[in-house]
Amino acid sequence: MTAPSTLVPGRRLLLATAVLAACSALPAAAQGSWPTKPVRMVVPFAPGGTTDILARAMAVELTKALGQPFVVDNRAGAGGNIGADIVAKAAPDGYTILMGTVGTHAINKWLYDKMPFDPVKDFAPISLVAGVPNVMVVNAEKARSLKIGNVQQFIAYAKANPGKLNMASSGNGTSIHMAGELFKTMTGAYMVHFPYRGSGPALMDMVGGNMDVMFDNLPSAMQQIKAGKLTALAVTSAQRSAALPDVPTVEQAGGPQLKGFEASSWFGLLAPAGTPMEIVNRIQQEVAKAIKTPDVSDKLLAQGAIPSGNTPQEFAKLIDAELKKWAPVVKASGAKVD
């Protein structure tokens, strides 16, 4: 038999009121079973690029695992800053997350005079989804006509014809842009930079012949390489890619002047700062599970991506290390965006 309450009616009423007030102050996700509605996954670049490809792959898996739609929302512009800022300023309730990149969270801080957000203070890292080498590609038809079949021939032509080659990128400050700037700095070759609002539209102009060279993320360029529309001269990672084993690294192909060249990309999920760790950990766990399945991992590896799924703490350490790595690179390149 339950013992009768020793509280007088007035005190019981006060206690009940206090409990209700405390519950109403909690985030919605803490009061019920998250998620109870669709989750928006912001991609800060146009459709068709690697950020978009990886986001859509993760959205499918998270939708299956968590029972609510994860909806990709492309918000391109300012090298990824527009989309990232939307998430930085969103409610920390687990219903808005970002597919961030090395650009939004390690390069832009040093490239832009004014940043609308702090890449560390304004975000809660969830998990690194994948690391991706960039690949130096040229328009295949243009390469044949100019007799450019390798990196050294490209450098020779660029030096002999300064300003005649157009270099596309997915936006100012992206790893694609900075890989090209690093290449220009180390070789003395000059190409005119044209920033786009993502890899997708840049690749369209590469294939169409309006652009000549691009240091694109390997997954987004792979289809056009296989189709023979683009010629891969080198990958920008320290090691060759298993997806393109016959393609050398920039360092291997470029000789002494490109010794130590490395400019890879990475992509990971982040939430607004203050998002409950229960939600952050839940998403990370499901990402890690999905990446370990053969269906997902094989697809990523086939496109040149290296799956991760690490913890929020490990992802935070990576972001800190990458911020320190890219600061001197951006400074040495002289690149700056007002």
Side-chain angles (χ1 to χ4, degrees):
M1 183 174 177
T2 304
S5 171
T6 57
L7 289 175
V8 298
R11 290 181 179 176
R12 285 202 297 271
L13 179 61
L14 288 173
L15 178 60
T17 302
V19 170
L20 287 171
C23 288
S24 65
L26 290 172
Q31 297 179 44
S33 178
W34 176 91
T36 59
K37 61 181 181 179
V39 176
R40 178 166 68 153
M41 185 185 293
V42 175
V43 172
F45 297 99
T50 299
T51 318
D52 184 66
I53 292 170
L54 293 177
R56 291 181 188 278
M58 287 299 100
V60 169
E61 298 303 317
L62 290 171
T63 296
K64 289 191 292 188
L66 296 170
Q68 288 288 343
F70 276 67
V71 182
V72 172
D73 182 9
N74 296 88
R75 295 298 186 96
N81 281 353
I82 290 175
D85 189 47
I86 289 171
V87 178
K89 293 177 172 58
D93 56 9
Y95 290 100
T96 305
I97 60 177
L98 173 75
M99 181 60 83
T101 71
V102 62
T104 60
H105 279 74
I107 295 175
N108 287 1
K109 179 177 180 178
W110 314 117
L111 184 73
Y112 285 79
D113 285 334
K114 294 181 181 179
M115 283 287 287
F117 59 86
D118 186 296
V120 174
K121 294 179 181 178
D122 291 339
F123 291 89
I126 298 174
S127 182
L128 176 69
V129 173
V132 174
N134 290 2
V135 58
M136 181 182 180
V137 291
V138 292
N139 176 277
E141 188 175 334
K142 177 71 73 72
R144 286 191 292 270
S145 67
L146 298 179
K147 295 182 173 54
I148 295 175
N150 57 50
V151 171
Q152 293 196 17
Q153 288 173 350
F154 179 91
I155 294 170
Y157 179 86
K159 284 186 172 181
N161 300 274
K164 287 191 177 181
L165 292 175
N166 296 328
M167 182 183 79
S169 83
S170 56
N172 285 313
T174 60
S175 69
I176 295 169
H177 172 208
M178 295 315 301
E181 293 295 340
L182 183 60
F183 185 90
K184 288 160 67 174
T185 298
M186 293 179 74
T187 62
Y190 178 66
M191 301 91 76
V192 182
H193 175 225
F194 288 85
Y196 287 73
R197 293 170 69 87
S199 284
L203 280 171
M204 288 179 65
D205 271 3
M206 280 289 299
V207 171
N210 295 319
M211 292 289 120
D212 304 313
V213 62
M214 185 175 177
F215 291 77
D216 194 25
N217 303 140
L218 185 49
S220 53
M222 184 66 80
Q223 183 178 350
Q224 299 299 340
I225 293 171
K226 289 181 176 179
K229 302 291 186 180
L230 299 178
T231 299
L233 297 184
V235 292
T236 66
S237 49
Q239 306 294 330
R240 292 194 184 207
S241 170
L244 291 174
D246 296 331
V247 176
T249 68
V250 170
E251 180 177 5
Q252 290 170 340
Q257 62 187 324
L258 285 165
K259 183 175 177 57
F261 185 101
E262 182 181 0
S264 296
S265 301
W266 51 258
F267 306 83
L269 293 173
L270 304 101
T275 299
M277 281 308 297
E278 294 85 358
I279 294 175
V280 170
N281 289 332
R282 181 79 188 281
I283 299 174
Q284 185 274 325
Q285 289 161 9
E286 296 303 337
V287 167
K289 286 179 189 176
I291 283 175
K292 289 177 183 177
T293 63
D295 183 48
V296 175
S297 63
D298 289 352
K299 285 180 181 177
L300 295 181
L301 289 168
Q303 296 184 73
I306 303 170
S308 177
N310 65 5
T311 66
Q313 294 76 21
E314 290 168 336
F315 190 21
K317 288 181 180 178
L318 172 69
I319 292 172
D320 181 66
E322 288 285 285
L323 277 164
K324 293 173 181 174
K325 169 187 171 179
W326 284 102
V329 175
V330 174
K331 183 178 180 180
S333 75
K336 207 70 181 171
V337 180
D338 294 331

